[in-house]
Amino acid sequence: IITVEGDPVGKGRPRFTKQGRAYTPKKTKEYETRVRRAWIETGGPYLDGNIQVHIDAYFRMPSGWSRKKMAEMDGKPCTKKPDADNILKSILDGLQGAAFEDDKQVTRCTVEKYWSRFGCAVIDVELFKE
């Protein structure tokens, strides 16, 4: 299990140069690098075989909210952007080559989004258990 500090970042749509070459947006690339670095720094294993991934995505509550509203919403489901599938894509791309060879190995995945006082992603990657 690893924790990546800061609000989770969804996979951005590919951008194109004037010459027509596609590239990943800078914000997405930086987040994928942070995910990869967190996995390596915590000594996460390299997994071979079928994999399951669980992600708890915590989003920092807006500073404009009252203390009462923050206390009320802390830990409640969050429906703000980015979408859960885009969070999953950016995290899997970040882990590819560090935690596993290819994201085609992922046979089960869950993403849950919550409001929190601090933004982070808690990522659990392990061999698939039936």
Side-chain angles (χ1 to χ4, degrees), residues 38-111:
W39 183 263
I40 293 167
E41 287 174 359
T42 57
Y46 187 83
L47 302 169
D48 194 21
N50 295 336
I51 294 169
Q52 61 186 18
V53 178
H54 179 77
I55 301 165
D56 285 326
Y58 295 94
F59 291 90
R60 190 176 57 238
M61 293 179 268
S63 58
W65 284 6
S66 67
R67 288 185 192 181
K68 181 181 177 186
K69 184 170 184 177
M70 284 188 179
E72 197 176 285
M73 296 302 289
D74 195 17
K76 295 279 194 307
C78 170
T79 55
K80 73 174 263 180
K81 295 265 185 185
D83 298 344
D85 62 325
N86 289 326
I87 295 168
L88 176 67
K89 287 178 207 171
S90 65
I91 289 175
L92 291 182
D93 285 352
L95 292 173
Q96 191 163 299
F100 45 80
E101 182 181 345
D102 193 272
D103 56 10
K104 69 182 178 186
Q105 294 172 248
V106 177
T107 55
R108 176 184 289 163
C109 53
T110 55
V111 179

Side-chain angles (χ1 to χ4, degrees), residues 11-50:
K11 183 78 172 186
R13 299 217 181 271
R15 304 288 184 229
F16 296 89
T17 65
K18 291 179 183 176
Q19 294 78 26
R21 297 184 66 133
Y23 66 94
T24 302
K26 184 179 179 183
K27 186 176 179 183
T28 302
K29 204 73 168 155
E30 288 172 350
Y31 188 70
E32 290 172 358
T33 301
R34 285 180 28 220
V35 170
R36 182 176 294 108
R37 190 174 298 129
W39 183 263
I40 293 167
E41 287 174 359
T42 57
Y46 187 83
L47 302 169
D48 194 21
N50 295 336

